[in-house]
């Protein structure tokens, strides 16, 4: 399977967001990653629904929404109406993860479950037959440009082995500190989707930076 790159707009220049989206798409990104933060689940705010609607109007590749919020259910239907294709929420806040995944998938969206660095990967095992993808946070969520947490590799390997043993089709996504030095380890461990932000948007040459992930 070819690695998919989900380009995180959190690291883009918000004053030139349309141009940044177009440049990242032209450079070879497969998806646009939306880090949706509420200032409660994570100590930061990013963009709300009106900004996402504007992004959706100019995006020519799928939108990958990561809900870092205390009330993920509030966002599901509005984001579905905007055409979001991938949507993940955190197991740490969802009281009824199974039900939420069913709701996301019923709207024609690929539903994912996300876990923080301090959350055991085994906690999502009951959801793996239903989920379309698992998002492993390899930094503590809330801010871009952080250093990759090495033990995230063990979580990814666990999911890869579990998937193979059970014959399940879910994808494995990783977000946080992904760059050209660790992408080989990540793909070997089992990653299918890599969220990349600062490495590309701070590079000065988006196409050259994204080429590092076209393995």
């Amino acid at each position: 399977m070819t690695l998919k790159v989900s380009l995180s707009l959190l690291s883009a220049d918000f004053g030139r967001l349309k141009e940044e989206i177009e440049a990242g798409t032209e450079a070879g990104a497969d998806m646009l990653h939306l880090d949706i933060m509420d200032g409660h689940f994570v100590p930061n705010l990013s963009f709300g629904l009106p900004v996402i609607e504007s992004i959706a109007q100019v995006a020519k590749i799928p939108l990958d929404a990561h809900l870092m919020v205390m009330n993920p259910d509030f966002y599901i239907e509005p984001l579905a109406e905007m055409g979001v294709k991938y949507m993940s929420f955190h197991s740490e806040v969802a009281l009824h993860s199974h039900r939420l995944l069913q709701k996301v998938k019923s709207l024609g969206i690929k539903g994912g479950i996300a876990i923080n660095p301090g959350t055991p990967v085994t906690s999502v095992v009951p959801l793996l037959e239903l989920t379309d993808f698992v998002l492993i946070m390899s930094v503590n969520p809330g801010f871009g440009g952080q250093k990759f947490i090495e033990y995230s590799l063990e979580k990814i390997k666990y999911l890869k082995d579990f998937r193979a043993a059970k014959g399940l089709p879910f994808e494995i996504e990783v977000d946080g500190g992904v760059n050209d030095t660790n992408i080989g380890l990540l793909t070997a461990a089992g990653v299918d989707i890599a969220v990349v932000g600062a490495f590309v948007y701070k590079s000065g040459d988006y196409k050259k930076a994204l080429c590092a992930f076209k393995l």
Side-chain angles (χ1 to χ4, degrees), residues 125-144:
V125 165
L127 301 170
L128 293 180
E129 289 191 6
L130 179 64
T131 192
D132 292 305
F133 66 103
V134 180
L135 173 54
I136 298 295
M137 290 302 300
S138 46
V139 298
N140 286 296
F143 299 92

Side-chain angles (χ1 to χ4, degrees), residues 92 115-122 135-141 146-160 172-177 182 185-186 189-191:
E92 295 90 353
I115 57 172
N116 284 332
T119 300
V121 68
T122 51
L135 173 54
I136 298 295
M137 290 302 300
S138 46
V139 298
N140 286 296
Q146 298 182 66
K147 184 179 179 182
F148 179 80
I149 296 173
E150 294 292 334
Y151 66 75
S152 304
L153 285 167
E154 298 306 314
K155 292 184 176 183
I156 295 163
K157 290 174 185 175
Y158 176 90
L159 289 173
K160 179 185 179 183
I172 303 169
E173 183 172 16
V174 65
D175 182 2
N182 58 29
L185 293 172
L186 288 166
V191 166

Side-chain angles (χ1 to χ4, degrees), residues 8 10 33-48 52 66-71 75 137 140-144 146 175:
S8 177
L10 189 65
H33 190 79
L34 307 175
D35 287 301
I36 302 170
M37 307 178 187
D38 63 358
H40 298 285
F41 180 65
V42 292
N44 197 7
L45 289 165
S46 56
F47 25 66
I52 297 169
H66 175 197
L67 302 179
M68 288 181 274
V69 298
M70 294 300 294
N71 57 336
Y75 292 84
M137 290 302 300
N140 286 296
F143 299 92
Q146 298 182 66
D175 182 2

